[in-house]
């Protein structure tokens, strides 16, 4: 005897099947991306953009810019916003972790410990823009970045300068001085010895900021660092405060500056001899 479902039951069954199939596909996609599935290239970069505070709209343009860098310079990049990828098994195939405009408390204690082991194993970290506005209650991370974000004024044009006699190859394409429009971060004190790359001239913009509730800023004075690098706890760390707006990610000055940091953090190479 032929059995047939009522039309409404058939449609409901079909819809349930479709939802289950879609869910299975989504789960598979969410967990299937690993560097062991990709062709071998010069190094592997994990790009992380999770936010638990302010969300920068420019993150999307930043991701696109780093993906273009990966194509141009032949390295693998995988982008995640899920913190569970910070575990020893996943990170064993990663050479550099990039925090792009992250904010707030984004890793739990187990994930924090995995990142610490990753760096101590001789791997690299790159922080872009509000990576310094991240994990305020984790002293190890604050030292990894090097300085902590404090406040910023409105977006303005200012004179950005390379520090003389630095040997970091990621700046060789930049002029000694240039006009740049960005969000100029004011930082707290140096938390470990840093090698500085870029500064901004506070005489060329207004550094004062007033966010209310006694949250004010007046700049950092004659020396206002914007980018730096250092060896830290067995690994390598690079940071740049540039990267607030969508437009700056179309600039080769910024993207090659970031690539210089990624390249050094991944390989330890790229420092020119001063001799």
């Amino acid at each position: 005897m032929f059995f047939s479902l009522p039309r409404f039951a058939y449609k409901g069954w079909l819809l349930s099947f479709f939802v289950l199939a879609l869910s299975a596909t989504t789960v598979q996609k969410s967990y299937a991306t690993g560097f062991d599935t990709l062709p071998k290239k010069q190094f592997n970069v994990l790009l992380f953009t999770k936010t638990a505070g302010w969300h920068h709209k420019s993150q999307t343009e930043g991701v696109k810019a780093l993906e273009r860098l990966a194509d141009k310079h032949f390295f693998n990049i995988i982008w995640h916003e899920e913190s569970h990828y910070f575990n020893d098994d996943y990170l064993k195939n990663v050479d550099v972790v990039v925090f792009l405009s992250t904010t707030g408390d984004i890793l739990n204690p187990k994930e924090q410990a995995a990142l610490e082991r990753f760096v101590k194993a001789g791997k690299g970290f790159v922080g872009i823009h509000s990576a310094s506005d991240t994990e305020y209650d984790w002293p190890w991370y604050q030292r990894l970045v090097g300085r902590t974000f404090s406040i910023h004024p409105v977006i303005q044009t200012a004179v950005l300068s390379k520090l003389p006699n630095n040997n970091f190859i990621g700046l060789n394409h930049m002029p000694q001085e240039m006009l740049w429009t960005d969000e100029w971060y004011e930082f707290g004190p140096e938390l470990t010895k840093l090698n500085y790359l870029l500064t901004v001239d506070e005489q060329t913009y207004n550094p004062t900021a007033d966010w209310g509730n006694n949250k004010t800023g007046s700049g950092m004075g004659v020396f206002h660092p914007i980018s730096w690098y250092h060896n830290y706890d067995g690994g390598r760390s690079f940071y740049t405060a540039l990267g607030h707006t969508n437009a700056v990610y179309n600039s080769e000055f910024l993207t090659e500056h970031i690539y210089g940091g990624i390249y050094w953090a991944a390989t330890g190479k790229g420092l020119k001899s001063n001799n």
Side-chain angles (χ1 to χ4, degrees), residues 32-40 43-47 75-80 90-96:
T33 305
F35 290 97
D36 54 345
T37 68
L38 300 181
K40 186 171 179 57
F43 48 78
N44 294 328
V45 174
L46 172 60
L47 175 58
F75 62 88
N76 288 316
I77 189 167
I78 293 178
W79 169 35
H80 283 306
Y90 193 83
L91 292 177
K92 70 183 180 183
N93 294 313
V94 176
D95 297 295
V96 180

Side-chain angles (χ1 to χ4, degrees), residues 4-202:
S4 63
L5 289 169
R7 180 174 297 180
F8 70 87
Y10 174 76
K11 287 184 176 180
W13 175 84
L14 189 62
L15 178 61
S16 298
F17 177 81
F18 176 75
V19 170
L20 286 171
L22 181 62
S23 299
T25 302
T26 303
V27 170
Q28 185 179 21
K29 287 181 67 177
S30 175
Y31 291 90
T33 305
F35 290 97
D36 54 345
T37 68
L38 300 181
K40 186 171 179 57
K41 296 187 178 180
Q42 62 170 327
F43 48 78
N44 294 328
V45 174
L46 172 60
L47 175 58
F48 190 53
T49 58
K50 183 177 179 180
T51 56
W54 179 266
H55 178 80
H56 287 79
K57 294 180 179 178
S58 61
Q59 271 189 335
T60 300
E61 293 304 313
V63 170
K64 292 177 182 177
L66 266 69
E67 289 176 340
R68 290 193 298 270
L69 280 177
D71 288 337
K72 179 178 180 180
H73 293 291
F74 199 71
F75 62 88
N76 288 316
I77 189 167
I78 293 178
W79 169 35
H80 283 306
E81 292 190 327
E82 299 170 71
S83 61
H84 64 80
Y85 287 99
F86 284 82
N87 63 76
D88 294 340
D89 187 58
Y90 193 83
L91 292 177
K92 70 183 180 183
N93 294 313
V94 176
D95 297 295
V96 180
V97 169
V98 177
F99 277 32
L100 170 62
S101 293
T102 53
T103 54
D105 186 3
I106 54 177
L107 299 180
N108 67 31
K110 286 181 63 177
E111 294 158 353
Q112 291 176 356
L115 181 59
E116 290 188 19
R117 288 191 295 270
F118 172 82
V119 171
K120 290 175 180 178
K123 302 295 186 73
F125 172 85
V126 168
I128 301 172
H129 197 52
S130 59
S132 60
D133 187 28
T134 301
E135 295 286 358
Y136 285 91
D137 297 326
W138 183 12
W140 182 91
Y141 175 84
Q142 293 300 319
R143 293 191 297 272
L144 173 70
V145 175
R147 300 184 85 128
T148 301
F149 164 77
S150 177
I151 197 170
H152 64 75
V154 298
I155 298 169
Q156 297 171 67
T157 300
V159 172
L160 184 67
S161 301
K162 292 194 298 187
L163 284 169
N165 301 320
N166 79 68
N167 60 352
F168 200 78
I169 198 71
L171 300 178
N172 63 327
H173 61 292
M174 277 189 174
Q176 188 59 46
E177 292 187 337
M178 63 186 297
L179 286 175
W180 188 269
T181 304
D182 217 312
E183 189 175 68
W184 301 110
Y185 277 9
E186 182 177 327
F187 298 99
E190 184 181 82
L191 300 174
T192 186
K193 178 61 178 175
L194 303 173
N195 304 296
Y196 292 103
L197 300 172
L198 298 172
T199 60
V200 62
D201 184 352
E202 290 186 356

Side-chain angles (χ1 to χ4, degrees), residues 190-259:
E190 184 181 82
L191 300 174
T192 186
K193 178 61 178 175
L194 303 173
N195 304 296
Y196 292 103
L197 300 172
L198 298 172
T199 60
V200 62
D201 184 352
E202 290 186 356
Q203 294 186 336
T204 63
Y205 76 104
N206 180 3
T208 60
D210 187 348
W211 290 5
N213 297 319
N214 296 317
K215 179 71 172 178
T216 61
S218 57
M220 298 179 66
V222 175
F223 182 71
H224 187 148
I226 293 299
S227 178
W228 52 80
Y229 70 99
H230 64 125
N231 292 289
Y232 176 70
D233 208 7
R236 293 173 293 275
S237 175
F238 166 89
Y239 173 79
T240 183
L242 303 178
H244 177 76
T245 68
N246 288 332
V248 294
Y249 289 102
N250 293 317
S251 167
E252 190 175 22
F253 292 126
L254 177 61
T255 56
E256 290 303 314
H257 169 50
I258 290 172
Y259 179 64

